[in-house]
Every structure is written in structure tokens, then in C-alpha cells.
Amino acid sequence: MPDNNPNLLSVLCKNNSNPQEPTLADLFEDQPQRFQHFSKHWQQMLFDYSRTGLTSARLDSLLQLVDESGLEKWRRRLLTGEEVNTSEGRSADHCLMRTTKPEDSANILGLVIQVQRAEMLTLGASLYQGILPGYSKAITDVIHLGIGGSVLGPQLVLEALQGTNSGTVRVHFLSSADGWQVSALMAKLDPQSTAVIVVSKSFSTKEVKLNLQRLRQWLSTAEQGDATEQLIAVTSDYARAQAAGFSQQNILLFPESIGGRYSLWSAVGLPIVIRYGEAVYLELLAGAEQMDKHFSEAATENNLPVLAALVTIWHRNICNFPAVAVVAYDSRLRLLPAWLQQLDMESAGKSVDRQGQPLQHPAAPIIFGGSGTEVQHAFFQALYQGMDTIPVEFIGVICNDSELPANKSHNRFQLANLIGQADALAFTQQSSDTAESTNADPHRQFAGNCPSSVVMLDSLNANSLGQLLAFYEHRIFVQSIIWGNNPFDQFGVEFGKHTASEVEDFLRVKGASKTGCKPAELNSLREWVAERLD
Ligand code: F6P
């Protein structure tokens, strides 16, 4: 019997056929202390799940579900380096990557990680000073080239820590394959004082290779030749990086068992060291390690990633809400929704379980979102009066670290909107007076009862950010234990890349010559486009 006994979740769905009753307004009216009972404060994080339909009885059932789905077993396998990536026969060692002393781990990989981290920190410390070993000129700018998990994490961290004291070397992120981003960077940077970090676990991603080709030409000059000294590779595939012409001392490695979307804690985090220094990078890892310890040791009823996962299960599977909006009310976290989109939808955007059997219940919800209050002026209308109930995940920061007296009013405004929106979405605005409601203008009716959760950070710093990101990594892991899917593979994306390659070949050659075309390729969009490409 597979761990994720689908019947347990089916029983829960059956036993909660009317999950949006009692309403959130009723729940708060019946239990004025609801916030105290349905929120947890741990270190620098508060998780408030009071504006959900969870009651003590419902939560008890969900806690039983996660225990009987194999939480203890799978958590132990994850944290001890056993196989958890069942379709690829691998462990998932992102927690080991952020262990303070990986060499002390029972897992032999800890020694490898210690060496890889030391090499990364050495190069990072040098580049923090603007010095690139083997290159004679000072470095003023670094281009971090990568896509997906090879760029989203580092870019999010650099933006989130923008109030932190930094070095002078500027870091620029490049991910788009359309040419505009790389052209703009080359136009404003000096090739003589720029280093390029090519981050690609597989070292075969086409977008990365396309941009690398442009950058290599840009860096190469008559006197310097092919600019190998200015190129750094961060990858799991040493052979491919070497074959691509990278010098041995400029190749930083991380283990094959680190998934791309879980790779921030490896050499992929190099730009964090370059921009903010080694101490800040290690503080980020320390925060994540503290969350690992909490996840490993806290009882399920007090375990933040477990509670957050159960809120998702309640909304996705019992309430049948297909989407969730993630809204960060601090512009330093504007990239969090995009990072979370990949983490959750690439980990649990699946339809079969670990045994290859069809999932009995839908897994990852559709994640979208943005920054508050901007998105209040974008999609919040649909949250208030649309036909779908879309739960919201609010993230806020109480003490704005870069706070100057002038910022206090901004920070207060942000927090007031976060809380105000959560309350307005949850609680019906109109009085219950029948006479008044029948006369009320139907265009001005607000159903309320829209659930939300709130993650509130005491302040945004390397430590609390590490806690937050690890919290989400463990949340999707727990959700996947219940759904039964493998959160560590992503064959769907690989398939999509293959089709794109075929079309690229058509646009490059066959579209022009029309020779060797398949019937499906003619009178098609690809032919229409091919005819217009010069
Ligand atoms: O989106 C698929 C994926 O493999 C991600 O998992 C990964 O983060 C991204 O592409 C980039 O892959 P690579 O680091 O191998 O270039």
C-alpha cells in the first residue's frame, strides 16, 4: 500500500462536503480568540491561518492525514540523504547543503559539500573585492547568467537584502533568451571589467548557451583572445563545462542530488557572496538550517511547514479551490511569487504518484501573485466579486530594516493594507439586515468568506529570509507526501524543450526552403512565422 493512501484524503473530502460553512465571519464571532488559536509565532516568523475554514476538529483530521501519509518516514529519508527522488533514484540534499558543518554529517556527501562550499566562498570573497584570480584587470560588474532555479533564488535574495551593507561590485541577472536583456547589459557594461557566471546544473539549457555565445563574443578582444579568464561556470556537470572551454579553476560544482529549484544553498548562491560577503551568505544558510531543525523536531501541531501544507490541502482538495494568489507587501520580496511558482508548480505540477499510478486528488494549485499594494489595483477586483474563490497568501514585514523615519509611514501603510485586505476578503461588509440587503445595489455586494493565510516576518534579513525560503521548501515537500507525487523531478519541462527545438530547426531551415516539411508543418503557425522571418 503506498504511503499516500488516497482514501484518507477521499474520506476527508467526503466528511467535509460543505467546507465553506461556517463562514469565516461566523468562526470569528463564535471564537473571538481565533487568532491566538490559529496562528503560530516561531523565531522571526508568524504564520496566521485564522482566516481559513479550519476548526480544531478539521485540523485534527488533517494532522492525522499527514501522519498516516508517512510524514515521519519521508522526512527522515529527506534529512538523512536517503532516496526521495524516486523516479530518478536520487536523494535530495538541499538541507545538507546549508548545514553549518556538513563535514560532520553521517552522509559522506557532507565532505564533498564542505570542499565545494569552501571553493565557492574563496572565489566569492575575491570577487567581492573586485579581484578575479587569473585575470589582470579589476572587476566592477558580474553578470549572473541562468534560468529557472539557476537564477530565481539568487535574484530573489539579492533584491530581498538590498538594505544590507554591500560591496562595490554590481551583480546583473540575465535569463531571457530574446536578446533584449543581453543587448542592454552589453550596452551599459565594460567588457574589460565584467565577469560572467554561467549557472546551469545540466550545462545544456539552450537559453543559457544562446546568451553565453553572445557574451563570449562581447568579452573576446584581440589582446585577450577568448576571455576564458572572465568566465565562471557553476554546474553539476564538470565535463560539459570543461568541454565548453571553461578553465578548471573557474568551474564551481554542486551535487547532482541538488534540484535546480532547491540549489540556492549551493555554489548557485555565489552572487550573494559577491554582493554582500561571506557572513551574510552564511547567515542565510543558518536561517534555513534553523527551519530544517524546526521542521525536523517540532510536533506536527506546532510545525509551521506542516500547518501551512495542511492549509493548502484544505483549500486545494477539500474546498476545491484550483488557484492561490501570493502577495508580498514588501517590494524587496517582489520576486517571491515567481520563485514560489517554480518551487511549487515544478515540484507538484504532477499527475502520477511515486509508483506511477494516477493521482486520486489534484496536486499543486495554480500559483500567481505579485506585490502589494500594486496588485490591489490589478486582480483584487476578481478576488472580491469574481465567481471563483481564490485563497490569498499574504507575506509582510513588520520592521522595515532599511527603515528611515520617513519610511515608517510607508511601512505602516503596507501593513495596514495587508491586514485590511485580509479582513475585507474574509468578512462580509454588509449588515445582515434583510431589508437593507434586498435594497442594496447588486453591483456593490461583496460575498466575503475568501480565505487567506499570513506570513509575517519580524524583520527582513539574511536569517529570516533563510527561514522563510526553507519554510516553503518543506511545505511543498509535506504537500507532496499527502498527494503522493515526487517533488524532485520535472520531466514535463524537459519534454517542452524538445518540441521547441524541432520548431527552431524548422524556422531556421525548412521554413525557408520548404524542403522535407511534414504535412503538419505546412499551413501552420510555424510556416506563417517562418515566411516573415528574414
Ligand atoms: O525548468 C526546468 C529546469 O530544469 C529547472 O528545474 C532548472 O532550474 C532550469 O530548468 C535550469 O536548468 P539548468 O540549471 O540545468 O540550466
Side-chain angles (χ1 to χ4, degrees), residues 147-150 199-203 205 208 260-261 342 346 490 493-494 497:
I147 200 162
S150 291
V199 184
S200 177
K201 177 179 176 182
S202 63
F203 230 75
T205 302
V208 174
R261 52 193 175 275
Q342 185 202 16
E346 200 163 88
Q490 58 281 325
V493 189
E494 312 309 329
K497 293 176 186 176

Side-chain angles (χ1 to χ4, degrees), residues 384-400:
Y384 280 105
Q385 293 187 308
M387 299 282 279
D388 296 302
T389 299
I390 301 174
V392 182
E393 293 181 5
F394 292 97
I395 300 100
V397 179
I398 293 175
C399 159
N400 193 321

